[in-house]
Amino acid sequence: MPEFRELLDGYHRFRRNDYHRHRGRWEELAEGQQPPVMIIACCDSRVDPATVFDLLPGQAFVLRNVANIVPPFDVEAGLAGVRSAIEFGVTGLGVRHVVVMGHGACGGIKAALAGGDQGAPGHSHLDDWISLIDEPRDAVVANEAIADKQLALEQAAIRHSLANLRTFPYIAEREAAGKLKLHGCHFTIGEGRLLVLDEESGEFMID
Ligand SMILES: [Zn+2]
């Protein structure tokens, strides 16, 4: 199984190349981070925000989970990994933008469309997680005018996550004060194209 060796080979290339060339930048970054942007993306191996947005280290605070879902604000929630990352990004780091990036051929979205009972046998945390998009899923499934349910739910789930972000009081306050902007994007893997949500029309458009 050579895969971990391949990771270490990549690390050594990083040491020889990027780290060696930009040592000053890395030393500066060691003092602290001030990313202006938070990106919430899927865990999918094909849609790394660092690649899609050609990011430099320190440029974006990134949270990845299955199907780039944001749960609503909930003080009763237990150990809340996603909510705590959002809280730290917005109130701790003071990011000025939060971007939710969905993508084509998303397995989490496919599982939701297949009925949500797609995870491991016994109790499935994946099924629990995906149930967060039951509402947009049911709306997309019920709409007979929609032919491409997969794409429609990928995009509807992004809108749903943006609405959920606005249930966090510190996000609603900052957005109302013009200190924070929310954005939705959809990356089509095969064409390498990013569509950006225009919230006025509700449509995803080529930038
Ligand atoms: Zn995905």
Side-chain angles (χ1 to χ4, degrees), residues 63-167:
L63 168 67
R64 298 180 72 176
N65 65 46
V66 172
N68 44 271
I69 296 170
V70 176
F73 186 78
D74 182 358
V75 291
E76 305 283 305
L79 295 172
V82 171
R83 294 178 181 92
S84 64
I86 291 167
E87 179 182 314
F88 183 64
V90 174
T91 70
L93 297 173
V95 296
R96 295 191 291 281
H97 302 266
V98 178
V99 181
V100 177
M101 182 179 79
H103 69 95
C106 182
I109 297 294
K110 195 175 168 199
L113 282 171
D117 187 19
Q118 302 292 307
H123 185 88
S124 165
H125 289 102
L126 181 58
D127 291 343
D128 288 349
W129 179 248
I130 291 296
S131 74
L132 283 164
I133 54 169
D134 279 354
E135 194 184 309
R137 189 268 317 273
D138 291 347
V140 164
V141 168
N143 188 339
E144 287 173 9
I146 296 172
D148 189 342
K149 306 278 188 203
Q150 171 80 22
L151 175 64
L153 185 53
E154 284 163 5
Q155 297 189 340
I158 295 167
R159 294 188 200 94
H160 191 69
S161 284
L162 291 173
N164 282 345
L165 278 171
R166 292 183 170 111
T167 65

Side-chain angles (χ1 to χ4, degrees), residues 21-33:
R21 274 199 297 273
H22 303 290
R23 202 172 179 144
R25 186 180 77 207
W26 285 104
E27 281 168 3
E28 223 172 88
L29 284 170
E31 303 298 317
Q33 61 167 335

